[in-house]
Amino acid sequence: MLRRSVKKPLVYGVLTIIIVLIAHRWLCRDSAFVMVKRDAVRYSYSSDKNRAYPYYQDMPLIFVGGMPRSGTTLMRVMLDAHPEVRCGEETRVIPRLLGLKRQWQNSAKESKRLVEAGLGDEVLSSAIAAFILEIIAKHGEPALHLCNKDPFTLKYTDELAQMFPSAKFLLMIRDGRAVVHSIVSRKVTISGFDLKSFRSCLEKWNSAMENMYYLCMKAGSSRCMPVYYEQLVLHPEEVMRKVLGFLDIPWDEIILHHEELINKPGGISLSRIERSTDQVVKPVNLDALSKWINAVPDDVRRDIRKIAPMLEKLGYDPDAYPPNYGQADKFVQDNTLEIKKNEAFWQKKALDIQMMTKSAYFGSNVNRSSEMAVPRDHRLQTSNGNTSSGS
């Protein structure tokens, strides 16, 4: 038997150890809870301020890209026609910011300065991701599914895939000869492109597409889907059903009639300065598929395989003038005939759209997918019982 004078300190000692262990475990649990990285949920609000739409870094963002004049605008307006999706006009900010980040990291001097300032890749990527997310969420009306269409964003597919783990990418692909003809004839200014040289522009197209196609394949079929412009035009329903399936968005027939929603309240907002605006005000048609055939210089035709090997890699016949892209659906053939019969009407509509202000779209009180949004005063209940709100 232990004496009472010995037993008492022993009991106190055991109790003290138990209390310390309990406190340590409690504090460690709280500390671990605090240190767990949580994806902050923020909200954007509908025009009438009555509905709140959550947006966060791990949401399934959609990035539409490819070479300019490859059908990126057509894809985005067809997606925009869907009541659950909002893409909006090109921001031009996002690819430039990503390009600047890459310049910094590729420069040994600048990279060292950033690291010395405590701005390593993780910090920089986190800050840029937050900026990009805010731009996408706030530059247009809110929606359940947010989309960005800046053609050259897909030059940075690998960085974006890391920044946004649940994002998906649509790479628009079009016959390079048609792309270059469109760039040259419409005088589309692209850095590094000499609009006086069809050959030089086609070489630039080849280089850009080689890079973006490689990055798309690297991302994998679950993250990046190549979409051929010609097939989208010839078979819009078939292609868009595949696209929406890839994006996990339910089918809606309205996307085949995007022209009915152009600059309508709650519909599709178009930029007055984007080059494709005058084309996408029309229903899907065959007009642009073959315009380029007689525009390719003889010397380019002769050296086409050397100048643009990506043509053949992407499945195009470099020696075909005109190429056989396939037979159009009757729906598209009818659209094409209707446009030709009423050419003056569609020209006037394109002109009217370019004269309109954005207030026609953003001034409306129509909500996109309002039944899927949450009330403005709703605060997201997180799994740990805390609430998270955003501006």
Side-chain angles (χ1 to χ4, degrees), residues 66 131 216 239 271 335 374:
F131 179 87
C216 185
V239 172
S271 167
N335 285 347
V374 294

Side-chain angles (χ1 to χ4, degrees), residues 154-174:
L154 265 68
K155 289 168 61 178
Y156 311 98
T157 299
D158 46 357
E159 287 103 319
L160 288 168
Q162 291 181 354
M163 291 178 184
F164 304 104
S166 298
K168 291 189 176 182
F169 305 87
L170 297 175
L171 173 62
M172 296 304 300
I173 297 173
R174 186 184 183 187

Side-chain angles (χ1 to χ4, degrees), residues 259-279:
E259 72 282 358
E260 298 175 7
L261 301 175
I262 297 294
N263 279 13
K264 297 288 182 66
I268 302 167
S269 176
L270 287 182
S271 167
R272 289 175 294 164
I273 59 175
E274 286 184 27
R275 299 284 185 170
S276 299
T277 294
D278 64 323
Q279 293 175 303

Side-chain angles (χ1 to χ4, degrees), residues 142-211:
L144 185 63
H145 298 277
L146 294 176
C147 159
N148 167 252
K149 191 279 281 191
D150 279 300
F152 283 131
T153 48
L154 265 68
K155 289 168 61 178
Y156 311 98
T157 299
D158 46 357
E159 287 103 319
L160 288 168
Q162 291 181 354
M163 291 178 184
F164 304 104
S166 298
K168 291 189 176 182
F169 305 87
L170 297 175
L171 173 62
M172 296 304 300
I173 297 173
R174 186 184 183 187
D175 191 317
R177 297 163 292 187
V179 172
V180 171
H181 167 67
S182 185
I183 290 172
V184 172
S185 62
R186 284 178 167 258
K187 297 180 171 58
V188 179
T189 304
I190 304 173
S191 179
F193 278 66
D194 178 5
L195 300 186
K196 295 179 182 179
S197 173
F198 198 103
R199 175 186 287 262
S200 173
C201 288
L202 191 55
E203 289 172 342
K204 293 287 186 181
W205 170 87
N206 189 83
S207 177
M209 282 308 303
E210 183 176 29
N211 176 49

Side-chain angles (χ1 to χ4, degrees), residues 55 148 180 302 367 373:
Y55 64 97
N148 167 252
V180 171
R302 184 182 62 246
N367 298 326

Side-chain angles (χ1 to χ4, degrees), residues 71 80 89 163 184 230 276 301 313 332 345 372 380 385:
D80 260 334
E89 300 89 339
M163 291 178 184
V184 172
E230 293 84 6
S276 299
R301 292 194 185 199
K313 183 170 183 178
V332 180
F345 167 80
M372 302 298 291
L380 184 71

